[in-house]
Amino acid sequence: GDAQYDVTPDGTLLFAPGVNAEIGQLVRLRPGGTPTPLLDERAAFQRFDLSRDGRWLAATVQTAERQELRIYDLRDGQRTVWLSADHVRHPLWSPAGDRLMVGQLKGGRGSLLVGVPGSGRAPDTLLTHDSIGYVRDPVGWVSEHDVLLQNWVAAVSFRTDPTVAPMRSANALSARVISRRM
């Protein structure tokens, strides 16, 4: 039968019988409560963000060939696929919950996008790059003019203004480095 395996730091082999553990269900847990399903759908959820008002869920889902960024309206249960790419990085809602920022890798080329899901318009490109080493993921959308980006490969964090003119090159990123791990 199927099972999921892991080894602890002391060398103990652990396993849990069952089907593909990557297929799961997102749940909500409130203090003192029990987990309740956020969605009826089960999928290979990779990364997600819930809008601050709790209405919208943006989730990166692994499919057989690619990754999709799915937008869920938690009020009416509707789901749309906003984009599909080789790798869809971490989605991040704006403070108002009306725009979404996400990084993607497609055909060896990366980009940082921002847009309005459901508007019928393609997202705007803030930044493009040719190397996975330049990937910048949004990790904190503090205010309309203040976004935190993380380059996981180089272990560098940036602070930038997403309302500035679109950036076309990773080397032209007009952001202030706020931390660097060595």
Side-chain angles (χ1 to χ4, degrees):
D2 294 329
Q4 307 303 311
Y5 297 89
D6 199 2
V7 178
T8 67
D10 70 2
T12 303
L13 174 65
L14 299 172
F15 73 94
V19 295
N20 185 348
E22 290 182 1
I23 305 298
Q25 186 173 29
L26 294 177
V27 298
R28 183 185 314 235
L29 178 62
R30 299 188 192 277
T34 59
T36 58
L38 196 56
L39 304 169
D40 291 332
E41 179 178 358
R42 293 181 179 275
F45 294 104
Q46 305 294 302
R47 291 163 288 282
F48 61 91
D49 192 34
L50 186 64
S51 64
R52 291 181 190 178
D53 66 1
R55 178 177 182 177
W56 300 101
L57 175 73
T60 300
V61 177
Q62 181 67 52
T63 66
E65 291 83 28
R66 310 186 80 177
Q67 291 183 348
E68 296 178 344
L69 180 56
R70 296 180 184 172
I71 309 299
Y72 298 88
D73 184 336
L74 299 179
R75 287 188 189 156
D76 66 14
Q78 295 295 311
R79 175 191 100 173
T80 59
V81 175
W82 195 46
L83 62 91
S84 177
D86 301 331
H87 297 282
V88 178
R89 306 297 299 163
H90 191 88
L92 189 65
W93 287 104
S94 67
D98 59 342
R99 288 177 292 141
L100 190 65
M101 186 179 297
V102 66
Q104 74 171 5
L105 295 170
K106 199 174 200 177
R109 187 156 182 79
S111 53
L112 182 64
L113 310 171
V114 65
V116 180
S119 69
R121 293 187 339 237
D124 293 325
T125 301
L126 297 177
L127 171 70
T128 61
H129 49 84
D130 292 324
S131 168
I132 194 165
Y134 288 106
V135 172
R136 285 160 172 79
D137 287 327
V139 294
W141 201 330
V142 181
S143 70
E144 289 302 309
H145 297 280
D146 193 9
V147 173
L148 303 175
L149 303 174
Q150 175 72 44
N151 178 331
W152 299 102
V153 175
V156 176
S157 297
F158 300 88
R159 173 170 258 142
T160 192
D161 183 343
T163 64
V164 298
M167 297 168 266
R168 298 294 177 208
S169 161
N171 297 327
L173 180 59
S174 59
R176 184 170 60 93
V177 174
I178 59 173
S179 73
R180 180 183 291 268
R181 288 190 323 235
M182 295 296 181

